[in-house]
Amino acid sequence: MAGMTTANTGALMRANLWSNQLKDTLIDELAAQKYVAWMDFPDGTTWNIPSIGDLDASDYVEDTAIEYTPMDVGNFTFSITEYKQSATYITNKQRQDSYYSSMLEAMFVPKEQRAISVALETDILEQGQPGTPNGQTANNANVINGADHRWVGSTVVNSVRTLGIKDFAKARYSLKKANVPDQNLIAIVDPSVEYHLGTLTGLVDFSFNPKWEGIVETGIATGMRFTRNIFGFDVYESNYLHTLVASETINTVASGANAKANLFFSAAPGMEKPWVGSMRQMPKVDGEYNKDFQREEYVTTARWGVKLYRQENFITVLSSTNVIV
């Protein structure tokens, strides 16, 4: 009499097993929203902010008429420009037949809200680049008070340029020349910058520079934030920085594949933030059953406007993302 072996009980064995969980994608941190001065913009499509300049002092000659000069005035405007949507659905048949339908449906709204948040993050970091309103000029150093506010990274790796320690020092200098407080300094860089900085000889060889001791054991970043402050800058990594097109590069050295625009600015208390914006409509979820298509539909929409506000508090350093070991 046959026993219970694999040879005669194959019909009782499952060749393929399916998990009771769904594999989700990994998500990174979003940080740019906190560096926007969000304004209450109740109606209309364009917001106006009057601006004034400075007065000059001049020599006075006794017993002559005083010279009166007006202040320069201007008008800064920004508009509600973005209207984003993220939507999906599940059919009745899918609901009835799929083991995972309830888990799948529970992910719809969080996934849609994440998509809207990524779109907002990307839009914020895009503002200030050439081609955006009030943005920097391509192929130009964008000098303010004698100091560059746009340049190519100082470190050359395999014929392309990336950021080096000198760029952090220069960014601090340029902000100071523009009268920007050297407090709460922020740098948002591409993840490739961490690799290049972490492999610089002066950092890895901590006998040469003891203050960097420990980098080879722990790395230079935790999560999306650098563990060490560089020339006063708290450094954050982002996958959503602006990707350069050919017309925006300052020279061909920076135009490696998918070159990025890394950002430097101050978030000091009392200092106006680099960007100004308004959320006309926060992410709003709507859901309904569509009887004609026999499906449940979910849609998230949002409206906002963002624009670079303080050019003097905004520095762009271009770098290649090429990482070659």
Side-chain angles (χ1 to χ4, degrees):
M1 184 174 183
M4 302 299 291
T5 66
T6 56
N8 58 26
T9 60
L12 300 179
M13 298 175 62
R14 293 188 290 175
N16 291 290
L17 295 179
W18 289 83
S19 170
N20 61 358
Q21 296 180 335
L22 291 175
K23 180 183 177 182
D24 200 358
T25 56
L26 298 175
I27 60 175
D28 48 8
E29 301 173 31
L30 305 177
Q33 295 184 37
K34 61 186 176 182
Y35 302 120
V36 178
W38 294 106
M39 306 185 69
D40 184 16
F41 189 169
D43 56 77
T45 57
T46 301
W47 183 268
N48 294 274
I49 305 175
S51 60
I52 58 173
D54 295 322
L55 285 173
D56 294 325
S58 58
D59 293 329
Y60 174 68
V61 178
E62 182 183 12
D63 202 29
T64 62
I66 291 288
E67 295 183 8
Y68 295 88
T69 57
M71 288 190 295
D72 291 331
V73 296
N75 184 33
F76 176 88
T77 65
F78 79 96
S79 303
I80 301 296
T81 57
E82 304 303 309
Y83 200 167
K84 299 293 185 180
Q85 62 112 60
S86 180
T88 191
Y89 64 83
I90 184 169
T91 63
N92 278 350
K93 189 174 185 298
Q94 170 71 8
R95 267 180 165 177
Q96 296 159 6
D97 295 348
S98 174
Y99 171 74
Y100 299 101
S101 60
S102 60
M103 286 183 282
L104 183 65
E105 196 169 358
M107 291 182 176
F108 287 169
V109 171
K111 290 285 189 182
E112 290 175 359
Q113 291 181 332
R114 170 70 184 185
I116 295 292
S117 295
V118 168
L120 175 58
E121 182 89 354
T122 304
D123 186 40
I124 293 170
L125 296 177
E126 185 84 9
Q127 300 305 310
Q129 301 306 317
T132 61
N134 207 38
Q136 293 180 330
T137 302
N139 293 300
N140 189 289
N142 290 263
V143 175
I144 298 177
N145 286 357
D148 297 348
H149 277 242
R150 186 178 179 88
W151 67 84
V152 181
S154 63
T155 299
V156 180
V157 180
N158 296 310
S159 299
V160 297
R161 288 197 187 180
T162 184
L163 268 66
I165 300 300
K166 290 182 179 179
D167 296 302
F168 289 82
K170 184 175 179 179
R172 185 184 181 99
Y173 163 77
S174 295
L175 290 175
K176 281 191 172 183
K177 289 290 289 182
N179 300 318
V180 175
D182 58 353
Q183 303 166 358
N184 288 37
L185 297 176
I186 303 295
I188 303 179
V189 302
D190 185 77
S192 61
V193 172
E194 180 200 351
Y195 170 81
H196 290 300
L197 286 175
T199 53
L200 288 176
T201 301
L203 302 189
V204 175
D205 181 10
F206 49 80
S207 61
F208 170 79
N209 193 345
K211 71 172 289 188
W212 297 100
E213 183 173 356
I215 276 186
V216 292
E217 292 90 357
T218 63
I220 199 172
T222 298
M224 300 301 284
R225 186 179 188 278
F226 278 28
T227 56
R228 284 161 172 78
N229 182 288
I230 302 178
F231 275 103
F233 287 93
D234 289 332
V235 189
Y236 297 86
E237 295 174 285
S238 174
N239 287 312
Y240 305 104
L241 290 167
H242 173 69
T243 301
L244 274 66
V245 298
S247 62
E248 296 173 6
T249 58
I250 292 181
N251 59 42
T252 56
V253 178
S255 61
N258 302 316
K260 292 291 185 177
N262 305 278
L263 306 179
F264 295 79
F265 55 88
S266 171
M271 179 65 201
E272 292 170 326
K273 296 178 180 178
W275 298 282
V276 65
S278 180
M279 291 294 299
R280 171 54 51 80
Q281 177 192 304
M282 296 293 289
K284 176 178 177 290
V285 179
D286 292 298
E288 65 177 0
Y289 181 71
N290 189 325
K291 63 180 179 58
D292 293 328
F293 287 91
Q294 294 290 289
R295 67 191 189 189
E296 196 73 36
E297 299 173 341
Y298 298 86
V299 57
T300 302
T301 56
R303 292 183 65 204
W304 67 77
V306 179
K307 186 177 180 181
L308 178 65
Y309 185 54
R310 282 289 185 185
Q311 290 185 327
E312 63 269 40
N313 189 22
F314 186 82
I315 290 173
T316 302
V317 183
L318 312 181
S319 71
S320 169
T321 59
N322 289 347
V323 173
I324 303 175
V325 178

